[in-house]
Amino acid sequence: MEKTITESAQGSALALKERQGNQRKLYIESYGCQMNFSDSEIVASILANEGFNTTDVLEEADLVLVNTCSIREKAELTVRKRLEKFNAVKKHRPHMKVGVLGCMAERLKSQLLEEEKIVDMVVGPDAYKDLPNLIQEVDGGRNAVNVLLSKDETYGDVAPVRLNTNGVTAFVSITRGCDNMCTFCVVPFTRGRERSRDPHSILLEVNDLWAKGFKEVTLLGQNVDSYLWYGGGLKKDFEKATDMQQAIAVNFAKLLELVALAQPKMRIRFSTSNPQDMTLEVIHTMAKYANICNYIHLPVQSGSNRILKAMNRLHTREDYFALIDNIRKIIPDCAISQDMITGFPTETEQDHQDTLSLMEYVKYDFGFMFAYSERPGTLAARKLKDDVPEATKKRRLLEIIDLQRKHGLYRTQQHIDKVEEVLIEGTSKKSDIQWMGRNSQNTVVVFPKEHYRIGEFVNVKINDCTSATLIGKALGHTPNN
Ligand code: SAH
Ligand code: F3S
């Protein structure tokens, strides 16, 4: 453990806490994946018990926390820019403290304190329960670091404080870490080994959300299909579990079923699925329960077998097509989305063509596409030269984005003239008189507000579309309300 605690620091921090009562203000900002946003809700909960109220106003914060992402270099640069802004605010609020949480904290450790003078505290994703101690340390005028990774921390016992919530949709984390070791990816280094959360605590959280009026949950993990609860501990240690533990183990399909049955009127989504781990059992479970949404985020990264191998993605293009065919057979109207990387080391024009042809086969509903960004410490960074010129990466990226836009439009057009159930999430970004919601396939739908209200399920007749949005008119409430 890289932190230090001194008695005097604890004493003065306690005195400060007593003086300030419930008055201290926490400003927390999150970057990167949904898991980070979900983790920030855990952090807000831990700090609420320490007398911190969250604020949306940076200028009135006593403690600023930034939950960071390391997935691409650009994500880190964005955070570093943000730290400059915090620095400017601190000039007028000298007592304000700044902590870096999440993946950058884990990757850079105490180096961050040296590189960014504004930073007082560096806390990795498994160390949030130590925040009260670390804050005492910082209150005492010292820097604090805890970047210890854990083999059993899932924060299953922490009830998240919902931040920036619409009161309708929420994330529930079910696994932490990742064991897959894709060669380009920094996540296994920043988030540690894979472990699953107790299904009982997941069900409690889902039931609590329902009781508070939420209508949709997204079960979150780097690789949800790999979920496996056998009483706690790392996924890789399952083999060592007792016969009894193995016999009562809960896999992802079973967990989905438990959640679907616990709240039959609640919509259930999940993310992310890794093609190599997604089972037919999961697809059948999705088909069996009407409240599990017909949408799968199924990143493939590349359409070339040679590149998939170099990425350590443990499936081929043909395996992926077989999975897609099964999904389409079992859930005919299932939406599928992708993540893609262009310009992975050694990627040729032919490899790129393979990616385009894979996309033609699947015709994804939507996608998230990136140019390869070398991440220090990953196998790709250590073994392979980042040899695709930046201009080539960009050009290939534009080509796949273009093709995706075409496929997006093809998919949205299939919804025209249909009547679809939409859950209203809030006001449309483009018009105050329109609602915005999603259909089961996760496509955004906008329609006139009329007398409908946020959080209601409505049947919407789809009349028009863009490549990413459906435009319609509500016909009435659905029986789900
Ligand atoms: N399983 C994870 C993946 C996390 S990273 C999940 O839950 O989404 C999200 C996406 O970022 C990956 O699917 C990949 O397409 C992209 N990505 C990861 N590392 C990258 C890198 N080094 N360069 C560019 N894109 C990357
Ligand atoms: Fe990263 Fe691959 Fe895991 S993309 S999060 S190592 S599944």
Side-chain angles (χ1 to χ4, degrees), residues 404-443:
Q404 182 52 55
R405 197 170 298 133
K406 200 178 106 195
H407 292 156
L409 184 62
Y410 165 77
R411 288 292 174 198
T412 51
Q413 281 168 344
Q414 312 305 306
H415 294 267
I416 288 184
D417 289 338
K418 289 191 177 151
V419 176
E420 301 188 335
E421 182 177 72
V422 174
L423 171 60
I424 303 176
E425 290 180 28
T427 298
S428 154
K429 270 191 227 132
K430 293 215 178 108
S431 161
D432 281 351
I433 56 165
Q434 304 254 331
W435 284 127
M436 168 273 175
R438 279 166 219 271
N439 62 10
S440 172
Q441 287 85 357
N442 206 37
T443 308

Side-chain angles (χ1 to χ4, degrees), residues 302-329:
S302 169
S304 151
N305 277 335
R306 193 180 64 81
I307 296 292
L308 285 171
K309 192 150 188 243
M311 288 175 160
N312 193 34
R313 303 286 291 189
L314 302 179
H315 62 82
T316 61
R317 167 190 174 91
E318 292 73 25
D319 296 334
Y320 191 78
F321 288 154
L323 180 58
I324 298 287
D325 292 348
N326 275 323
I327 294 169
R328 301 239 185 269
K329 198 166 73 208

Side-chain angles (χ1 to χ4, degrees), residues 178 180-182 184-185 187-188 222 274 313:
C178 187
N180 277 345
M181 299 302 279
C182 301
F184 53 81
C185 186
V187 170
Q222 300 299 339
N274 190 311
R313 303 286 291 189

Side-chain angles (χ1 to χ4, degrees), residues 300-449:
V300 67
Q301 320 296 358
S302 169
S304 151
N305 277 335
R306 193 180 64 81
I307 296 292
L308 285 171
K309 192 150 188 243
M311 288 175 160
N312 193 34
R313 303 286 291 189
L314 302 179
H315 62 82
T316 61
R317 167 190 174 91
E318 292 73 25
D319 296 334
Y320 191 78
F321 288 154
L323 180 58
I324 298 287
D325 292 348
N326 275 323
I327 294 169
R328 301 239 185 269
K329 198 166 73 208
I330 299 166
I331 314 169
D333 63 345
C334 192
I336 301 173
S337 61
Q338 42 88 346
D339 287 349
M340 292 285 186
I341 298 178
T342 60
F344 184 80
T346 77
E347 185 188 70
T348 62
E349 249 358 269
Q350 183 53 51
D351 295 322
H352 173 57
Q353 289 304 322
D354 287 352
T355 296
L356 294 171
S357 74
L358 177 138
M359 289 174 72
E360 279 295 356
Y361 185 89
V362 183
K363 293 193 173 55
Y364 293 99
D365 292 75
F366 20 87
F368 306 89
M369 293 149 281
F370 315 98
Y372 173 69
S373 165
E374 185 178 85
R375 306 312 294 133
T378 57
L379 200 69
R382 282 184 280 135
K383 296 273 178 307
L384 300 168
K385 189 157 168 280
D386 185 7
D387 60 355
V388 178
E390 224 37 52
T392 310
K393 283 184 191 171
K394 290 265 153 63
R395 195 246 310 145
R396 291 178 187 165
L397 181 60
L398 287 180
E399 285 177 19
I400 65 170
I401 289 174
D402 249 22
L403 185 59
Q404 182 52 55
R405 197 170 298 133
K406 200 178 106 195
H407 292 156
L409 184 62
Y410 165 77
R411 288 292 174 198
T412 51
Q413 281 168 344
Q414 312 305 306
H415 294 267
I416 288 184
D417 289 338
K418 289 191 177 151
V419 176
E420 301 188 335
E421 182 177 72
V422 174
L423 171 60
I424 303 176
E425 290 180 28
T427 298
S428 154
K429 270 191 227 132
K430 293 215 178 108
S431 161
D432 281 351
I433 56 165
Q434 304 254 331
W435 284 127
M436 168 273 175
R438 279 166 219 271
N439 62 10
S440 172
Q441 287 85 357
N442 206 37
T443 308
V444 170
V445 183
V446 295
F447 57 96
K449 284 187 173 173

Side-chain angles (χ1 to χ4, degrees), residues 459-472:
N459 277 323
V460 177
K461 167 92 187 294
I462 310 297
N463 299 317
D464 200 357
C465 67
T466 68
S467 63
T469 307
L470 302 175
I471 299 151

Side-chain angles (χ1 to χ4, degrees), residues 13 15 21 44 49 57 112 143 192 216 224 267 275 283 286 288 304 350 374 379 394 396 404 468 481:
N49 293 334
V57 186
L112 252 182
N143 289 333
E216 179 183 301
V224 285
R267 270 189 174 178
I283 304 168
M286 290 175 71
K288 186 166 165 197
S304 151
Q350 183 53 51
E374 185 178 85
L379 200 69
K394 290 265 153 63
R396 291 178 187 165
Q404 182 52 55
N481 291 288

